[in-house]
Amino acid sequence: MAKSSTRASAQKSSAKPVFVLNGPNLNLLGQREPEIYGRTTLADIEKQVRAKAKALGLTADCRQSNHEGELVDWIHEAREGACGVILNAGAYSHTSIAIHDALAALDIPVIEVHISNVYKRESFRHHSTISSVATGVICGLGTIGYDLALEAVKSKL
Ligand code: DQA
């Protein structure tokens, strides 16, 4: 009895999509600094993420914005509309208290993703305003990091 009601509520929450949010300049993936970020485009990543989500029994709602406020609005939307958030906030990861505060108001899993290993790069990339309010952080593994983040969300549902 308890078991089936647990399963029912897990199904209910995973019926909501995982929001996969990409921040500034990530629309240029594939063209931008390919020696750091590789040749995979954002469209390729989103296709891969949707397929991975499907294989895990999830759905992915993929969005990208160059605007901090739009990312904040989407994180607010995730409060009711998502079962988890995967966020590569790009450079806002290192600066944005607004995104930190929006994430702090969520009670669903949040996985911060970076394609590059930010700790091998300039010191201004070594601090994240987001990590302290993320469930976990995946960094430096390339675009497979988004797939791993989906597995992490799934494991937390
Ligand atoms: C990034 C790392 C950030 O420092 C940078 O500003 C980005 C991409 C990454 O995915 O490795 O735009 O988040």
Side-chain angles (χ1 to χ4, degrees):
M1 175 89 169
K3 229 182 199 170
S4 79
S5 79
T6 306
R7 197 174 306 128
S9 78
Q11 274 169 358
K12 197 172 153 217
S13 68
S14 62
K16 294 178 184 177
V18 180
F19 280 9
V20 181
L21 307 180
N22 279 287
N25 302 307
L26 292 164
N27 53 314
L28 296 180
L29 281 172
Q31 306 164 41
R32 167 198 186 206
E33 300 181 274
E35 65 289 358
I36 296 175
Y37 299 112
R39 295 265 173 209
T40 309
T41 66
L42 183 60
D44 292 335
I45 291 171
E46 291 180 343
K47 197 173 160 199
Q48 159 201 311
V49 158
R50 278 191 280 268
K52 178 72 180 181
K54 196 171 174 198
L56 292 170
L58 302 170
T59 56
D61 183 337
C62 301
R63 306 178 189 188
Q64 187 276 332
S65 178
N66 293 323
H67 305 280
E68 186 177 22
E70 190 160 37
L71 292 164
V72 168
D73 286 344
W74 289 342
I75 294 165
H76 292 175
E77 191 184 327
R79 284 163 51 82
E80 293 295 324
C83 68
V85 172
I86 294 170
L87 174 62
N88 183 347
Y92 288 139
S93 315
H94 314 300
T95 61
S96 179
I97 294 168
I99 292 176
H100 168 284
D101 288 352
L103 293 172
L106 288 180
D107 60 3
I108 54 177
V110 174
I111 312 297
E112 176 184 354
V113 171
H114 299 286
I115 295 167
S116 66
N117 182 348
V118 288
Y119 299 102
K120 276 188 169 173
R121 301 181 63 195
E122 304 95 323
S123 58
F124 63 81
R125 297 184 202 277
H126 298 178
H127 175 72
S128 166
T129 59
I130 293 169
S131 300
S132 63
V133 285
T135 311
V137 181
I138 294 171
C139 163
L141 299 177
T143 58
I144 196 181
Y146 292 93
D147 286 0
L148 299 173
L150 273 171
E151 290 194 19
V153 168
K154 171 83 181 184
S155 77
K156 298 283 173 191
L157 295 178

